[in-house]
Amino acid sequence: MTDYLAQQIRAALARFVAEAHPGAPDDFDAAALDPEFQTPNNPEHGDLASNVALKLAKPLRSNPRQIAQHLADALNESADPKRIAAVEVAGPGFLNFRFADALLYDGVAEILAQGDAYGRAERTGKTAIVEYVSANPTGPLTVGHGRNAVLGDTIANLLDWTGYDVTREYYFNDAGRQMRVLAQSVMARYEALVHPDVPKKTLEGGLVVPESFPDDGYQGDYIQTIAESVRAEHGSSVLDRDDAETFFKAAAVSAIFATIEQTMERLGIPVGEGGMQYFNEHSLYENGAVWDTVDRLREKGLVYDKDGAVWFATGKLGKVVTNDQGVTEPKDEVLVKSTGEPTYRLPDIAYHLDKLERGYDKAVDIFGADHIATYPDVIRGVKSLGGDASKIEVLVYQFVTLVRDGQEVKMSTRKATYITLDELMDEVGEDVTRFFFLMLSPNTHLNFDLDLAKDASEKNPVFYLQYAHARICSILAKAKEVGLTYDPVALDWTNLTHDSALELIKVLLGFPEALTGAAESMGPHRLATYLREVAVAFSAFYRDCRILGEPEEIAQPRLALADATRLVLRNGLTILGISAPERM
């Protein structure tokens, strides 16, 4: 509808300039106008509104209300009456549009005709890669990883529904210090198994481990389980191997990744063909991309050596810091530590260059708030080496706090006092877990209320949506039992006259726009909010408009509208990765 109205406004404006406003600037181009539309908060102000006349006042050197009145008169004369019932002027020059009932009826018929495809855009030929989860394989997925995973998966779904061919990728980070600590943690626990008398130490929290256990080692029970499996499969002499640390790292990564994959599958994120693919960070070292990135930056004068480390001259690229005296000065960052180990920034620059070289039109990163200070340096590096950084879109999400009985549940990954994602799903279920991660804006800190999440009533926001879907399925089943059916082609839609029915239709017709808005803003919460609006509108409709027991000419279009609502709810829940039960 907005495309149609924009076209009508451009045509009316061209006539206005040519016939009624010859004093317009010579370079004014009505065809280039891109009007904006909003849905008024007050239904009395129409179904859509535009401030186009207000924006035209300055370039046309004219009173905005005069412009608006000319446009309204022209549109009331030229617009298709089966689409637009009236165009009105309000306030200083707003245009308010009221839809024709025939447009609404045609819209419901279109929903029913498209079914599972309603809301899905045609393929644009554009491609996108979404990188998400990408948790280091040092332990099970935690609650924090869960928000990343669900956001990324849903954004990939939204891009797919809005016309992109989407690649889903997990950046497999199997290098760096944390992997050495992981290997050493398993080695120490293995050592205690094969040499029970080895000298021990007691960690904070009471865990007794061999003295070889690293001070910042991983303490979870899963470390002990991996050590036991290594002993069971390979015996008691693994510590004698020349490549013992490498061996233990590989064993730990293999075991942990198997657990991660199981958790993601349970969360509705398939891995492998047709699902998420892995990109191994180690490949960037094997093909020389990491060190080639350093060389290329050095050639551009953006890398220098200092104190045994390799530095990225981000200060030359606009990065600054304010010192203790309040003076702003350039700020450089370490690319390679004095130990020879790259920092996060270096392989990530190489990785993003690789993604862009693969030809994607859009490269989406899902990062936690702990990356907010580092990812801009990666983009600076990409841009300085000729990569099209405008294709990179970064979503930074805030962290999750679990709350039980109004109190925060404390978590610490290294000390293994965290709650795993599996434990969370065990407690509240997969659907609730996904929805709670999605229901607020990603840039909002999420207090995950475990008590509300376990509430099996309509107070629980995901159950409210699922109950609405299940209620409609029940209505359809009962209608079938009494022989009430409908033919969408032969229906007399004009019997849908109640305000709550018409309001429900308007909400349903907003589904494609809701998907587009959620995809463009990378805000799945907008779709979750929209679906609640659908459920609320259906509740009002069902309260005001009985279906069963009414004459067929009344009941049939109402039944069809209920079915259209079911389709929108199901399609929306599918995009969010949440089930749409037929009974609850």
Side-chain angles (χ1 to χ4, degrees), residues 403-408 449 451:
V403 177
R404 192 192 307 275
D405 298 326
Q407 301 296 316
E408 177 182 347
D449 188 334
D451 300 312

Side-chain angles (χ1 to χ4, degrees), residues 311-316 319-321 329-333 377:
W311 290 74
F312 184 16
T314 46
K316 290 184 178 181
K319 186 170 187 176
V320 297
V321 65
E329 54 190 16
K331 177 73 164 66
D332 296 343
E333 299 291 350
D377 294 336

Side-chain angles (χ1 to χ4, degrees), residues 266-267 421-437 448 450 453-454 460 462-463 578:
R266 182 179 177 187
L267 198 59
L421 192 51
D422 279 303
E423 289 171 332
L424 179 62
M425 288 188 283
D426 287 343
E427 184 164 355
V428 305
E430 292 84 354
D431 282 342
V432 173
T433 297
R434 280 194 70 116
F435 190 86
F436 272 54
F437 282 143
F448 195 115
L450 291 167
K454 290 191 292 183
N460 187 321
V462 64
F463 287 169
I578 294 165

Side-chain angles (χ1 to χ4, degrees), residues 237-261:
S237 59
V238 180
L239 291 172
D240 298 331
R241 296 173 60 122
D242 293 336
D243 63 344
E245 185 172 308
T246 300
F247 176 87
F248 277 100
K249 185 184 86 166
V253 168
S254 176
I256 291 170
F257 248 113
T259 300
I260 288 175
E261 288 188 358

Side-chain angles (χ1 to χ4, degrees), residues 559-576:
L559 184 67
L561 178 54
D563 202 11
T565 306
R566 175 188 64 84
L567 287 168
V568 169
L569 285 171
R570 187 178 67 189
N571 289 357
L573 289 170
T574 297
I575 294 167
L576 296 179

Side-chain angles (χ1 to χ4, degrees), residues 204-215:
E204 182 182 351
L207 181 64
V208 178
V209 295
E211 290 185 351
S212 60
F213 191 88
D215 292 338

Side-chain angles (χ1 to χ4, degrees), residues 127-134 147-156 159 166-172 276 279 344-345 347-356 358 360-372 374-383 388-398 442-443 519-524:
T127 58
I129 181 170
V130 184
E131 182 220 333
Y132 55 107
V133 189
S134 298
R147 193 175 195 189
N148 184 310
V150 173
L151 282 169
D153 186 57
T154 308
I155 287 169
L159 290 172
V166 181
T167 297
R168 303 158 189 258
E169 195 155 272
Y170 187 129
Y171 182 58
F172 181 170
M276 177 180 281
F279 185 98
Y344 155 85
R345 294 170 176 84
D348 247 50
I349 294 171
Y351 172 48
H352 281 78
L353 287 170
D354 180 276
K355 283 196 279 192
L356 294 176
R358 284 185 260 165
Y360 293 106
D361 297 297
K362 185 192 294 281
V364 178
D365 295 327
I366 314 297
F367 289 148
D370 53 338
H371 284 71
I372 199 165
T374 53
Y375 85 80
D377 294 336
V378 174
I379 292 177
R380 289 184 179 101
V382 169
K383 189 174 181 180
D388 187 354
S390 67
K391 294 183 176 181
I392 300 173
E393 297 186 20
V394 177
L395 173 65
V396 176
Y397 65 91
Q398 297 300 314
N443 58 25
E520 291 179 348
S521 66
M522 292 196 293

